[in-house]
Amino acid sequence: MSAEPLVAVIDDDEPFRTALVESLCSFGYRVRDFASAEEFVAGNLEPACDCIITDIHMPGMSGLDLKRHLAAHSSKVTARAEEGLEARVAARGAVCLLKKPFESDDLIGRLKKILKC
C-alpha cells in the first residue's frame, strides 16, 4: 500500500474539480476525481479512500446524500456553505466544512489534521 493518502474529489464543476485535483497532487496526495456522487459510488472506491472531498450541491445525489450513503466512513471533508449547512453536515458526521472559494493552504492544513500526516 502506498504511503500517500488517497483522496477522492467529487464535484460537478469540472474546472474547479480539475484545479483542486492539481493542487492536491502538487502536495503529494494521490487523487481520484469524480463528476458526480453516483460515479463515485459506482467506482466502489470508498473503502480505499483516506478522505473524500465533495461538493454539497450537485445534480442527482447531493454531497449530503452521499454522506448518508457512506455513513460508516470516518474521514470526510466537504466544500460550500449556506446558513445552517455547517450544523447539518456536522450532524451527519462530516469532519469539516470549507466555503468556496477557499485557499489551498486551508484545505491542506485541514487534510493534514484529518489524516494526521
Side-chain angles (χ1 to χ4, degrees):
M1 186 163 130
S2 177
E4 297 85 17
L6 176 60
V7 177
V9 173
I10 308 162
D11 199 311
D12 60 318
D13 180 341
E14 185 177 0
F16 178 82
R17 187 177 70 246
T18 299
L20 183 54
V21 166
E22 289 173 0
S23 179
L24 290 169
C25 287
S26 75
F27 283 95
Y29 292 97
R30 294 180 304 133
V31 183
R32 291 283 310 267
D33 68 304
F34 303 87
S36 70
E38 293 87 352
E39 183 182 338
F40 174 76
V41 170
N44 197 30
L45 276 177
E46 189 262 336
C49 291
D50 296 293
C51 187
I52 299 169
I53 301 172
T54 183
D55 190 2
I56 295 293
H57 301 285
M58 296 182 287
M61 183 184 286
S62 72
L64 292 177
D65 294 337
L66 177 62
K67 176 62 182 102
R68 279 191 289 269
H69 182 79
L70 304 173
H73 197 274
S74 62
S75 295
K76 308 290 187 282
V77 177
T78 187
R80 193 156 192 241
E82 62 191 43
E83 190 169 325
L85 185 60
E86 191 163 354
R88 289 194 339 238
V89 299
R92 290 190 173 91
V95 175
C96 70
L97 176 73
L98 294 174
K99 298 174 186 178
K100 286 181 180 176
F102 52 83
E103 296 294 323
S104 293
D105 290 343
D106 190 26
L107 174 63
I108 297 305
R110 291 177 189 227
L111 277 174
K112 286 180 179 179
K113 186 182 225 182
I114 289 165
L115 298 170
K116 297 184 185 8
C117 53

